[in-house]
Amino acid sequence: MGMSVTISAADERDAEQILKLQYLCFQSEAELYGDYSIEPLVQTLDELRAELAEGCMVVARLGEEVVGTVRGKVDAEGTARIGRLCVHPRLQGHGLGGRLLAAVEARLADEFAPKRYHLVTGSRSEGNLRLYRRLGYTPVGTERDRRVTLVALAKDATEYATSA
């Protein structure tokens, strides 16, 4: 490709590209569960902009194109809730997801000093589960969202992700 992927904080100008990427990336999750009304596919641009203003969102760029994103927000109990990690399908399998997760963890740690990190993924999403376990997350329970069983995973905030 001739360009390297850079990771940085997202800003308002990234909102439309993030929403389009999220829509593209979560199609496979929707298909896996037979549910095309999952939150990442029905979120509006205004909702995403509000989330961008109140939390921590990171993007990966290849040139000017947003090719990956993840977001997090620390709650009142000190738990950093991380979500919507996605990487453009053409760039998956090259460690970018791990780099994005490490970047959002580091930003959350620097800005909010959370006690723990928490995320969820579908119980059938084996690739996601492998990635999160490899990066130090351990299952702590399950949650139900309509027809989808979600696995909740967490780790202590002193354990930073590596891009392994």
Side-chain angles (χ1 to χ4, degrees), residues 9-121:
D11 65 39
E12 163 62 30
R13 295 169 296 186
D14 298 318
E16 287 185 39
Q17 283 194 68
I18 292 168
L19 192 64
K20 288 176 184 175
L21 178 65
Q22 176 178 297
Y23 187 81
L24 171 68
C25 292
F26 279 89
Q27 292 293 317
S28 59
E29 288 292 299
E31 183 178 347
L32 186 60
Y33 297 98
D35 185 355
Y36 288 85
S37 62
I38 60 175
E39 182 60 30
L41 298 183
V42 298
Q43 185 175 33
T44 67
L45 186 56
D46 286 341
E47 290 168 341
L48 188 134
R49 284 185 173 129
E51 199 175 347
L52 183 60
E54 66 186 28
C56 173
M57 199 171 301
V58 176
V59 292
R61 289 186 180 84
L62 184 60
E64 295 298 313
E65 180 187 8
V66 173
V67 294
T69 186
V70 65
R71 61 199 74 172
K73 185 175 179 183
V74 179
D75 67 19
E77 290 79 40
T79 299
R81 303 204 176 267
I82 297 172
R84 308 259 171 94
L85 174 62
C86 59
V87 173
H88 194 288
R90 77 175 188 272
L91 296 176
Q92 290 177 4
H94 299 285
L96 188 52
R99 288 178 55 201
L100 281 162
L101 189 55
V104 79
E105 285 179 5
R107 287 195 46 133
L108 289 165
D110 290 346
E111 295 176 28
F112 304 102
K115 296 175 185 171
R116 73 199 61 76
Y117 299 107
H118 180 274
L119 49 78
V120 297
T121 192

